[in-house]
Amino acid sequence: MDLKLEVVVLPVSDVDRAKAFYEKAGFRLDVDYVADDSYRVVHLTPPGSQCSILFGTGVT
């Protein structure tokens, strides 16, 4: 069995600030989805990586 780490969920206190930080660091924005005030998910991938990060509001 070949196991791979594909997504890491990160806790953040400020979604917009975290998104700006990772974009400035060169991460590619894959998804920024807002359902309502209680749910938002941001998904970014670093250059050359098959593992991405996910954070947001209402994400556990």
Side-chain angles (χ1 to χ4, degrees):
M1 180 185 318
D2 188 22
L3 300 176
K4 296 179 181 179
L5 180 62
E6 294 184 9
V7 176
V8 176
V9 179
L10 301 175
V12 299
S13 59
D14 185 329
V15 176
D16 289 321
R17 186 172 167 207
K19 178 183 171 190
F21 171 83
Y22 286 108
E23 286 182 313
K24 189 172 183 178
F27 283 51
R28 178 187 72 234
L29 177 64
D30 300 315
V31 174
D32 186 351
Y33 174 76
V34 179
D36 56 37
D37 289 342
S38 65
Y39 185 78
R40 177 181 180 189
V41 64
V42 178
H43 183 266
L44 299 113
T45 303
S49 179
Q50 294 182 352
C51 181
S52 56
I53 61 171
L54 184 140
F55 55 83
T57 305
V59 176
T60 57

